Amino acid sequence: MLGTNRKLIALEQQGKSIRVGLVGAGQMGRGMIAQIEKMKGMKVVITADIAVENVVNAYENAGIKKTNLVVTDDKSEAAEAIRSGLVVATADASLVSGLADVDVVVDATGVPNVGAEIAWKSITNKKHIVMLNVEADITVGPILKQMADAAGVVYTGSAGDEPGAIMELFDFSEALGFETVALGKGKNNPLNVEANPDTAAKEAAEKKSSPKMLASFQDGTKTMVEMNAVANATGFLPDKPGMHGFQGEVKDLPAFFQTKENGGKVSKEKVVEYINGIAPGVFAIIRSEQEEVNAELTYLKMGDGPNYVLYRPYHLTSLETPLSIAKAYLDHVPTIAPYKGRIAETATVAKKNLAEGDYLDSIGGFTVYGTILTAEESDAMEALPIGLVDRHIKMRKAVKKGEIIRMSDIVHEKDTTIWKLRELQNTFGTVSIEENDIIKEVPVV
């Protein structure tokens, strides 16, 4: 992100700013609005949320006066307000991507199908799209990236989210000519695949967060999803289904990622992994064949070799999202995107015994959790991707607790945008797609 501050200052000095449209005024969205309010060359001109009072509160908490805020679902009124220097609160998410006065759209909903639809509409309206929705990205990100490339806009994950923070370390390592051996993150709570909104309720209340969101961290789904995004961006894969989840400190990491035959803990290199004990940090394990480089790394206390660790001890979630907005708009470059296509999958696992006729709920709920597999492993068992899980899925047959749910085990009672995009992704694979094909193939529901 070197030089972004100066580019934004220059943009403002020209009397311009990046006009941001946001969908989702929850914890992530509120933080982003407040952060951008203190930045140069950028403004959140419109925000949508199903509870419009959340948007009003988010703007007011960021220091924006009510007299500078217009609440409307009318496109013409919203456009006029933005041109007059005001900000808009709306309950209509489609308004955000449909306005000519928006340059970059940010999805901060956290709901896979909603995120897929926001991304799809943004791309067809020639808007850059920043995803604070990793669940949608791992499910249909490859096809959305192809669509964005064809439409001449940027599709990107967010800086500050752990996949984006890991990607920065990876790009740093690769640019300097290091061999990158492993990529990963810390997990800040013990793995409990049975966690649900009820078991997470007390801690969630203390942290003023959503019980469902907290449960998705505790049951491991969020970790699997995040490392799935890193896999699709870099080509690195889990060493085993679900990864290992080693316990250790930062100083232990270089030795962990030696192969077992060399005294380490993994069976191969170029893996994604999570570590208990180093949260909230992210890391890259690097190596060099140059003796002088190794001597310098040892001197700099990066490890004893042959592996060395790059460790970032923080990630600022949506507070860093503005950097991805700026990078997309100013440089036309993603922070992180599924450059390698779909090479990993987060499969759906039964959190409890499921009977024929039972309905699934959602990520962080009572019925399922996710575990990362290679795409080959997932395809071999026809696993249901976790990002496709919603309340319209009914069990065709019983599945026992701890078993992966297969596509043949379910009945999906409603076609949604994410399902349609997934079908298109399966059809096209990694071939390039012309813009007219995009518009023709996927009607948004």
Side-chain angles (χ1 to χ4, degrees):
M1 302 299 180
L2 295 174
T4 300
N5 53 336
R6 286 178 285 277
K7 291 179 182 179
L8 289 171
I9 290 170
L11 191 67
E12 186 163 288
Q13 288 173 343
Q14 296 167 22
K16 300 176 183 178
S17 67
I18 304 170
R19 299 167 298 180
V20 180
L22 170 65
V23 184
Q27 181 180 349
M28 296 295 103
R30 292 196 308 270
M32 194 193 86
I33 290 172
Q35 189 69 49
I36 289 177
E37 190 59 22
K38 294 299 182 181
M39 292 177 63
K40 303 290 186 183
M42 188 181 300
K43 187 176 184 66
V44 182
V45 296
I46 181 169
T47 301
D49 194 281
I50 53 174
V52 74
E53 62 270 19
N54 289 345
V55 181
V56 174
N57 291 337
Y59 277 127
E60 289 184 343
N61 290 341
I64 295 171
K65 296 178 180 179
K66 274 190 176 180
T67 52
N68 291 328
L69 173 64
V70 174
V71 180
T72 183
D73 292 338
D74 181 80
K75 186 174 183 179
S76 297
E77 188 177 355
E80 179 58 33
I82 293 170
R83 293 188 197 112
S84 300
L86 307 177
V87 297
V88 176
T90 182
D92 183 3
S94 65
L95 196 60
V96 175
S97 60
L99 284 171
D101 302 279
V102 170
D103 302 308
V104 184
V105 176
V106 178
D107 167 41
T109 64
V111 181
N113 182 61
V114 175
E117 185 164 342
I118 291 164
W120 154 248
K121 287 182 176 179
S122 299
I123 292 165
T124 55
N125 282 297
K126 301 295 184 70
K127 312 289 185 189
H128 304 302
I129 173 69
V130 180
M131 300 292 284
L132 265 167
N133 191 330
V134 189
E135 295 82 2
D137 175 70
I138 64 162
T139 310
V140 292
I143 193 70
L144 289 170
K145 182 184 183 302
Q146 291 181 71
M147 291 175 170
D149 290 347
V153 295
V154 173
Y155 170 87
T156 180
S158 176
D161 226 356
E162 281 154 303
I166 292 169
M167 195 69 185
E168 288 179 15
L169 293 179
F170 175 77
D171 286 351
F172 176 83
S173 169
E174 297 288 298
L176 287 173
F178 290 111
E179 178 187 359
T180 313
V181 176
L183 298 165
K185 57 160 282 184
K187 191 176 187 309
N188 59 10
N189 41 48
L191 180 65
N192 174 17
V193 297
E194 296 181 351
N196 61 53
D198 287 348
T199 64
K202 182 180 178 182
E203 185 177 344
E206 293 169 354
K207 294 181 174 180
K208 297 181 179 180
S209 63
S210 159
K212 189 171 75 169
M213 182 178 72
L214 182 59
S216 74
F217 284 96
Q218 293 176 344
D219 70 16
T221 301
K222 195 73 175 178
T223 292
M224 303 295 158
V225 165
E226 288 166 342
M227 299 318 299
N228 191 158
V230 174
N232 289 351
T234 63
F236 287 36
L237 289 169
D239 190 42
K240 57 173 272 190
M243 301 180 286
H244 293 280
F246 301 127
Q247 179 74 39
E249 301 176 29
V250 175
K251 64 181 177 61
D252 302 320
L253 299 183
F256 282 177
F257 293 99
Q258 292 271 40
T259 57
K260 290 177 182 177
E261 61 192 33
N262 291 319
K265 290 179 174 287
V266 293
S267 60
K268 61 187 177 185
E269 296 181 344
K270 297 192 180 300
V271 298
V272 290
E273 187 55 75
Y274 74 95
I275 305 292
N276 294 293
I278 67 163
V282 298
F283 66 88
I285 305 299
I286 63 171
R287 180 184 298 155
S288 175
E289 294 180 353
Q290 299 283 15
E291 290 184 13
E292 287 292 343
V293 172
N294 289 332
E296 187 76 3
L297 289 170
T298 302
Y299 171 77
L300 293 169
K301 302 187 186 305
M302 305 301 287
D304 297 325
N307 290 348
Y308 302 89
V309 60
L310 302 177
Y311 177 69
R312 178 179 166 178
Y314 66 91
H315 60 97
L316 305 184
T317 60
S318 63
L319 302 184
E320 293 185 55
T321 302
L323 296 176
S324 292
I325 295 169
K327 191 172 183 179
Y329 180 87
L330 296 169
D331 302 328
H332 216 79
V333 173
T335 299
I336 181 172
Y339 298 109
K340 301 296 182 179
R342 174 185 163 267
I343 71 160
E345 189 82 82
T346 301
T348 304
V349 184
K351 192 175 278 189
K352 62 179 184 178
N353 290 335
L354 297 170
E356 179 184 347
D358 283 351
Y359 282 86
L360 303 186
D361 47 13
S362 60
I363 293 171
F366 295 87
T367 59
V368 297
Y369 64 93
T371 192
I372 189 173
L373 308 173
T374 67
E376 278 188 7
E377 291 166 340
S378 178
D379 290 345
M381 61 180 66
E382 297 184 334
L384 170 66
I386 194 71
L388 294 181
V389 169
D390 62 34
R391 298 177 184 274
H392 302 293
I393 293 179
K394 182 170 70 174
M395 298 305 296
R396 187 193 304 272
K397 57 185 180 182
V399 172
K400 292 180 180 179
K401 175 181 174 180
E403 290 183 347
I404 287 176
I405 299 174
R406 301 169 186 257
M407 297 295 287
S408 58
D409 295 332
I410 64 157
V411 177
H412 190 242
E413 297 182 336
K414 181 182 178 182
D415 272 343
T416 54
T417 299
I418 198 165
W419 277 78
K420 289 178 179 291
L421 286 168
R422 180 63 181 220
E423 289 168 6
L424 185 62
Q425 180 172 287
N426 292 343
T427 300
F428 278 101
T430 56
V431 301
S432 61
I433 303 173
E434 297 298 328
E435 185 183 347
N436 61 343
D437 290 329
I438 299 172
I439 294 169
K440 180 174 64 178
E441 292 288 344
V442 188
V444 174
V445 295

